Amino acid sequence: MTTAWGEVGLTRFPEDPRDRLRAWDASDAYLLRHLAEAEVPLTGTVVVVGDRWGALVTALAAHRPVQVTDSFLSQEATRANLARAGAEPGAVRLLTTQDPPPERVDVLLVRVPKSLALLEDQLSRLAPGLHAGSVVVGTGMVKEIHTSTLELFERIVGPTRTSLARQKARLILSTPDPARERPENPWPYRYALPDGVGVVSGRTVVNHAGVFCADRLDIGTRFFLQHLPGPGAGRVVDLGCGNGVVGTAVALADPAAEVLFLDESFQAVASAEATYRANGVPGHAEFRVGDGLAGVAPASVDLVLCNPPFHSHQATTDATAWRMFTGAKRALRPGGELYVIGNRHLGYHVKLKRLFGNAELVASDPKFVVLRAVRKG
């Protein structure tokens, strides 16, 4: 990517030479071009939110920005891209969405996330640090910026306008109003599960902003909860745990189980732990942010439960599901089981048969299938 600060080489994480998706897009380039052309003073505390693969902070590393991200993969990509660019150690301060935000924000750059709730939460957390002289610029592809997006900036930050579109990207320009009375941040959100979903019926769910289906139980998880394996698994992984409902159900049904909640989203793992704690679940649990099962020892797990995502930001891809399945095969003990739920049309049974040599249909309805694969010796 060529910028006013030089050319930077960027990759996603984990690096895959077969991956043809870039680690930046037109909205990143538009924002950087605007900063240079408008001669925006990049002094004081520069905060970059939602930088998907570190493109923005890598280009601006000389200004010692602060990156705030919900994604472990984005954070790792940022580390790799900074090292590749020769940035000095500590040039960029890496924070997660769960860390306390900077107390003062002089320049706020926002890569608009897919989740409007996550945008609301992050603007609410950062707004107290803004002052009358702060510069606030958002960026995103035209299809990602809606009236509701602009209304959030207007309501939380101050008067807001948009730029002309360039290469299907657009900027959001907000003027902070320190006197503005801001609404209370509604996140995290709590709700009670419906009846008919087994041991977690009526139980409390805690969702931090940005976690899938923040205000209700999605129909896929509802179906999965009705077809989980029985007690006695031993060490269980709720892979891509989201708000932790599935792993919590396992722990409630089998207090002897050891449940590991894993997700690449800091918001998701915080939600899973909050859900688990809110229900006073007995037994042992661990909560870990990471790259799937990469940090789990080989042949150390008895059961993996998984509802793979099939989007990476705006791109539809099965790469994440495939990496989850291969990671599960490595982590499972001989005889260990992988349970997967997915939309029927995704054809996960083909991948599982290719990888495990077997795939059994546990349950199905017009929209979803639950599949079981066994790690052979």
Side-chain angles (χ1 to χ4, degrees):
M1 182 174 68
T2 302
T3 77
W5 296 270
E7 191 171 278
V8 291
L10 302 165
T11 60
R12 297 185 172 211
F13 180 88
E15 291 188 38
D16 183 349
R18 298 166 298 177
D19 186 358
R20 308 183 73 172
L21 297 173
R22 294 188 310 187
W24 58 279
D25 64 17
S27 67
D28 296 313
Y30 194 178
L31 173 57
L32 292 170
R33 187 164 55 245
H34 168 77
L35 295 177
E37 292 175 352
E39 298 182 348
V40 174
L42 297 171
T43 56
T45 303
V46 179
V47 178
V48 181
V49 179
D51 190 6
R52 292 182 179 174
W53 304 106
L56 297 176
V57 295
T58 301
L60 300 175
H63 300 279
R64 308 191 74 82
V66 178
Q67 184 197 66
V68 180
T69 181
D70 177 42
S71 169
F72 175 86
L73 301 183
S74 294
Q75 201 171 74
E76 291 302 297
T78 299
R79 288 192 174 97
N81 287 326
L82 287 169
R84 185 180 295 108
E88 62 179 89
V92 177
R93 184 181 172 199
L94 302 179
L95 298 181
T96 79
T97 48
Q98 285 291 302
D99 290 323
E103 293 183 1
R104 179 183 173 92
V105 180
D106 300 292
V107 179
L108 176 59
L109 309 176
V110 181
R111 180 61 170 85
V112 173
K114 182 178 179 181
S115 166
L116 194 66
L118 184 58
L119 178 62
E120 178 182 34
D121 177 65
Q122 292 307 296
L123 288 180
S124 296
R125 285 164 55 85
L126 288 158
L130 297 172
H131 52 86
S134 297
V135 175
V136 179
V137 186
T139 189
M141 303 306 290
V142 169
K143 63 185 178 182
E144 299 171 327
I145 297 175
H146 311 285
T147 301
S148 54
T149 312
L150 305 178
E151 288 174 347
L152 268 185
F153 276 88
E154 182 90 27
R155 178 160 51 91
I156 298 172
V157 177
T160 296
R161 60 186 177 89
T162 58
S163 71
L164 296 174
R166 289 189 185 181
Q167 295 181 301
K168 299 183 180 179
R170 194 181 295 278
L171 300 179
I172 300 169
L173 306 168
S174 286
T175 303
D177 178 6
R180 177 151 303 193
E181 186 175 337
R182 300 185 183 95
E184 184 178 348
N185 188 349
W187 302 99
Y189 181 78
R190 301 167 69 96
Y191 67 90
L193 288 167
D195 293 332
V197 290
V199 70
V200 290
S201 296
R203 295 280 185 164
T204 298
V205 175
V206 182
N207 265 47
H208 285 270
V211 179
F212 181 63
C213 266
D215 59 350
R216 66 193 184 284
L217 182 66
D218 66 281
I219 56 175
T221 302
R222 177 192 285 265
F223 189 63
F224 203 20
L225 287 169
Q226 295 167 346
H227 299 285
L228 295 177
R235 191 168 190 229
V236 182
V237 178
D238 184 353
L239 179 58
C241 62
N243 58 26
V245 169
V246 171
T248 298
V250 170
L252 283 167
D254 183 6
E258 297 181 9
V259 184
L260 171 59
F261 295 82
L262 270 177
D263 206 292
E264 77 96 17
S265 160
F266 295 96
Q267 298 285 92
V269 173
S271 300
E273 183 165 7
T275 296
Y276 184 90
R277 306 294 181 207
N279 290 289
V281 186
H284 174 76
E286 182 183 351
F287 305 87
R288 189 186 303 176
V289 179
D291 176 19
L293 287 154
V296 175
S300 64
V301 171
D302 300 294
L303 174 66
V304 176
L305 305 169
C306 183
N307 182 359
F310 56 94
H311 289 94
S312 176
H313 301 296
Q314 297 297 325
T316 300
T317 173
D318 64 357
T320 301
W322 183 250
R323 290 181 60 249
M324 285 179 157
F325 298 161
T326 55
K329 183 181 179 183
R330 183 189 63 84
L332 285 167
R333 297 186 176 102
E337 300 176 332
L338 168 65
Y339 272 65
V340 175
I341 183 168
N343 294 74
R344 297 179 67 96
H345 72 272
L346 295 173
Y348 286 152
H349 64 287
V350 176
K351 290 181 171 56
L352 293 175
K353 284 183 179 178
R354 188 188 314 164
L355 185 63
F356 285 83
N358 64 90
E360 172 192 343
L361 178 65
V362 175
S364 66
D365 70 5
K367 188 172 179 63
F368 298 103
V369 293
V370 176
L371 303 168
R372 171 180 173 267
V374 180
R375 162 88 187 267
K376 302 301 183 181

